[in-house]
């Protein structure tokens, strides 16, 4: 086989090889994209499922700090739902707002605890129970952290009523650390 | 010129004295073991009486690295051919070569190549080449088509996966999501929106254990009052609607301060002054008729789940005794003991 024929055959061979090589490279690229699409889809499906699941759950933590008037309105609403006259509410006073230190997620999400002191007076135990029950049903974010029941001093000593000091706390997401 | 001897058929053989012969040693001449035809020609030319351009030559490699060169003047070869030959070779090797070499196949020294290649051979070769090229082209197109179809199938599957993903986005992102969002340059990509929402939900609804495990004083109050001596007086915060009647005498179950009348032998009268619940401790301060009754109250409350009762403090007042009960969380108590 002379050189010219060899070059011709080699050229033809190359010419015939180019289309399948080009198609193969396209197929490889598409299959890689397909694998990536499958992986992304699975990830999206899992995330979406988790989103739907979490949406069905209650907030355990507030997404931001709640203003004081919001808490006051909340207390009044719960008092009304529990059938407690609003005059029983002596005051709502904000307490310390402190940062929480958590072992996990350190440095990623910073949480803070907002506390509010609620003073109620002349409540019977059933009223206190109803208030706490309605409070829990109404909002799972705010948790009674401290409760102090003190016998209400009245003229008649048989008045079975208590002054209640309830400190409620809510964890909220603070701005992430820079 | 000696008369030629013709073989039957198209394979013609001529006596060796009609040819030029040479034994070439390319390695000795500084060439590779497998030199090119041109290089062999230059070596052969050194023993030829005429220029190599006027000679049609054939070469055969021996096992010891030497090459046997066989040639004939082109003009003589052209005159010799009748047009029907397919090959033209020496009938046998010359004597001086048979003495030098163990074996020489003269069939390999065919001079009808290149310019002297017979038309039938050339046609056959061309047809073979065309057939081979056609076969390769067929294989190439078949393979290309197969790969193209595979690629299209993969593209189609990718479109389906993408469509499924869009459906998932629609389900997860709700009414605010539209297909146009996926390609809109202005809107945030749905992947990022989903991820942002997931992160926000995880932070607020699935925080880590340290954040979730916040003490609930109401639960502790329920546990404490649940252990109160009279079962009817337990406080059930978990009930849908706590009946007021069962809670009426929970803490102060008698008319304290006046007299401590007992309606029954096992009745325990307690006038509770303070109940304090904190994340770490609980305190109960109450007025009770006798120290013995204070012990009974402490014994009943001692079993409060999760809490450990310290030694009750009892002090006498004018017409009763004051009992102070302090509870500590069992986890904290265990830590204190271990330290």
């Amino acid at each position: 086989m002379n050189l010219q024929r060899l070059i011709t055959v080699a050229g033809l061979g190359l010419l015939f090889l180019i289309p399948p090589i080009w198609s193969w490279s396209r197929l490889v690229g598409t299959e890689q994209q397909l694998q990536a699409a499958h992986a992304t889809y699975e990830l999206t499906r899992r995330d979406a499922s988790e989103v739907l699941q979490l949406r069905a759950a209650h907030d355990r933590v507030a997404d931001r700090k709640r203003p004081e008037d919001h808490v006051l309105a909340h207390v009044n609403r719960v008092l009304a739902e529990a059938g407690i006259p609003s005059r029983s509410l002596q005051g709502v006073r904000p307490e310390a707002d402190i940062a929480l230190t958590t072992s996990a997620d350190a440095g990623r999400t910073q949480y803070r605890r907002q506390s509010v002191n609620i003073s109620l007076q002349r409540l019977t135990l059933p009223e206190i129970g109803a208030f706490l029950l309605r409070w829990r049903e109404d909002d799972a974010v705010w948790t009674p952290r401290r409760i102090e029941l003190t016998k209400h001093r009245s003229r008649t000593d048989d008045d079975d009523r208590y002054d209640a000091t309830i400190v409620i706390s809510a964890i909220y997401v603070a701005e992430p650390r820079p | 010129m000696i008369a030629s001897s013709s073989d039957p058929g198209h394979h013609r053989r001529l006596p060796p004295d009609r040819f030029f012969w040479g034994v070439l040693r390319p390695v000795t001449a500084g060439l590779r073991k497998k030199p090119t035809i041109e290089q062999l020609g230059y070596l052969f030319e050194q023993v030829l009486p005429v220029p190599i351009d006027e000679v049609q030559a054939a070469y055969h490699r021996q096992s010891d690295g030497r090459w046997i060169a066989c040639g004939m003047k082109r003009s003589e070869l052209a005159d010799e051919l009748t047009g029907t030959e397919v090959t033209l070779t020496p009938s046998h090797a010359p004597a001086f070569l048979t003495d030098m070499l163990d074996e020489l196949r003269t069939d390999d020294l065919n001079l009808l190549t290149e310019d002297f290649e017979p038309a039938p051979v050339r046609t056959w070769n061309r047809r073979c080449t065309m057939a081979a090229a056609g076969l390769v082209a067929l294989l190439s197109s078949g393979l290309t088509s197969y790969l193209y179809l595979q690629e299209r199938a993969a593209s189609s599957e990718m479109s389906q996966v993408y469509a499924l993903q869009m459906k998932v986005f629609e389900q997860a992102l709700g009414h605010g999501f539209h297909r146009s969002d996926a390609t809109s340059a202005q809107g945030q990509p749905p992947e990022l929106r989903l991820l942002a929402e997931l992160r926000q939900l995880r932070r607020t609804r699935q925080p880590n254990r340290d954040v979730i495990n916040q003490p609930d004083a109401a639960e502790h109050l329920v546990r404490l009052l649940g252990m109160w001596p009279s079962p009817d007086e337990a406080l059930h915060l978990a009930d849908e609607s706590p009946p007021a009647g069962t809670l009426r005498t929970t803490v102060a179950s008698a008319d304290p301060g006046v007299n401590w009348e007992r309606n029954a032998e096992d009745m325990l009268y307690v006038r509770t002054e303070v109940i304090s619940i904190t994340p770490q401790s609980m305190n109960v301060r109450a007025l009770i008729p006798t120290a013995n009754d204070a012990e009974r109250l402490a014994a009943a409350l001692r079993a409060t789940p999760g809490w450990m009762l310290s030694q009750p403090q009892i002090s006498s007042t004018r017409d009763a005794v004051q009992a102070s009960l302090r509870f500590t969380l069992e986890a904290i108590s265990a830590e204190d003991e271990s330290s």
Side-chain angles (χ1 to χ4, degrees), chain A residues 131-150:
Chain A
F131 178 81
L132 293 174
L133 183 67
R134 296 293 174 205
W135 186 270
R136 174 181 285 182
E137 289 174 349
D138 200 60
D139 195 343
V141 173
W142 289 96
T143 308
R145 189 171 172 82
R146 293 202 308 268
I147 298 174
E148 186 167 319
L149 306 180
T150 308

Side-chain angles (χ1 to χ4, degrees), chain A residues 3 28 30 44 56 88-89 96-98 120-121 126:
Chain A
L3 185 62
V28 168
T30 307
T44 303
S88 300
L89 178 62
D97 186 325
I98 58 169
L120 303 168
Q121 67 172 356

Side-chain angles (χ1 to χ4, degrees), chain A residues 48-117:
Chain A
S49 170
E50 192 177 348
V51 163
L52 296 176
Q53 196 178 349
L54 287 175
R55 273 196 199 139
H58 291 291
D59 272 340
R60 310 287 294 269
V61 169
D63 57 350
R64 63 186 182 283
K65 185 176 183 177
R66 299 290 165 86
E68 197 178 333
D69 53 350
H70 172 86
V71 181
L72 181 61
H74 191 182
V75 171
N76 279 321
R77 188 170 66 248
V78 172
L79 283 173
E81 287 174 356
I84 301 170
S86 59
R87 65 174 180 276
S88 300
L89 178 62
Q90 261 196 320
V92 174
R93 179 168 49 85
E95 286 207 343
D97 186 325
I98 58 169
L100 290 184
T101 53
T102 56
S103 56
D105 271 353
R108 287 169 55 189
T109 303
Q110 190 180 19
Y111 293 97
R112 295 184 70 86
R113 183 167 57 223
Q114 173 186 8
S115 298
V116 173
N117 186 314

Side-chain angles (χ1 to χ4, degrees), chain B residues 25-316:
Chain B
R25 296 177 178 80
V27 178
T28 310
L31 299 175
R32 296 176 302 172
K33 276 189 176 179
K34 289 183 180 178
T36 62
I37 297 296
E38 285 77 14
Q39 289 172 329
L40 288 173
Y42 295 138
L43 286 178
F44 192 24
E45 191 175 31
Q46 294 173 8
V47 295
L48 290 176
V50 293
I52 187 66
D53 295 340
E54 297 177 14
V55 174
Q56 173 71 6
Y59 307 92
H60 186 257
R61 186 172 185 270
Q62 299 297 114
S63 58
D64 59 359
R66 289 183 295 183
W67 289 76
I68 303 301
C70 173
M72 180 183 282
K73 283 189 74 174
R74 286 173 173 264
S75 54
E76 288 182 21
L77 181 59
D79 294 340
E80 194 66 40
L81 293 177
T82 61
T84 59
E85 296 88 349
V86 175
T87 61
L88 189 149
T89 58
S91 58
H92 58 275
F96 77 96
L97 277 181
T98 51
D99 294 342
M100 283 175 60
L101 302 171
D102 296 335
E103 181 185 358
L104 175 64
R105 290 185 58 196
T106 55
D107 289 347
D108 295 331
L109 297 171
N110 178 26
L111 292 186
L112 299 188
T113 58
E114 299 174 349
D115 297 341
F116 288 92
E117 189 176 51
V121 174
R122 186 168 295 171
T123 304
W124 170 254
N125 284 342
R126 189 178 294 125
R127 283 179 182 169
C128 284
T129 305
M130 293 297 288
L135 186 64
V136 170
L138 197 66
L139 286 173
S140 172
S141 60
L143 186 60
T144 304
S145 301
Y146 171 76
L147 293 172
Y148 174 72
L149 290 175
Q150 291 289 315
E151 193 253 337
R152 277 195 62 184
S155 295
S156 171
E157 189 179 344
M158 197 159 62
S159 300
Q160 290 174 3
V161 171
Y162 184 69
L164 285 174
Q165 194 176 4
M166 291 301 110
K167 278 187 181 174
V168 171
F169 281 133
E170 282 177 359
Q171 287 173 353
L173 299 176
H175 302 298
F177 174 79
H178 299 291
R179 283 182 183 277
S180 57
D181 288 353
T183 53
S184 170
Q186 297 170 350
Q188 199 179 23
E191 291 89 348
L192 288 182
R193 287 173 56 191
L194 183 67
L195 191 62
E197 179 159 3
L198 179 60
R199 282 184 178 163
Q200 180 65 21
L201 285 169
R202 277 179 180 162
R203 290 158 108 189
T204 57
R205 300 188 181 184
Q206 199 180 49
N208 64 54
R209 197 182 304 166
D210 295 343
V211 175
I212 292 175
N213 286 345
Q214 297 298 317
D216 186 348
E219 282 184 6
H220 297 317
L221 181 62
V222 169
R223 287 183 191 172
L224 178 70
L225 297 183
M227 302 308 294
W228 215 256
S230 175
D232 289 341
E233 297 161 357
L235 179 64
H236 297 286
L237 281 180
D239 291 349
E240 283 297 322
S241 55
T246 60
L247 303 172
R248 184 167 51 82
T249 57
T250 300
V251 183
S253 60
D255 183 9
V258 182
N259 57 17
W260 299 95
E261 290 182 8
R262 292 168 183 263
N263 295 327
E265 281 296 320
D266 57 348
M267 198 69 174
L268 176 62
Y269 295 97
V270 179
R271 176 180 149 161
T272 306
E273 294 292 317
V274 173
I275 294 178
S276 171
I277 315 277
T278 71
Q280 289 84 26
S281 65
M282 295 194 301
N283 289 288
V284 176
R285 200 172 73 235
L287 290 175
I288 303 172
T290 66
N292 190 34
D293 287 341
E295 287 297 332
R296 287 178 59 195
L297 177 64
L301 298 184
R302 193 183 301 277
T304 304
W307 292 89
M308 184 169 284
L309 176 62
S310 306
Q311 180 64 34
Q313 304 291 319
I314 298 172
S315 58
S316 297

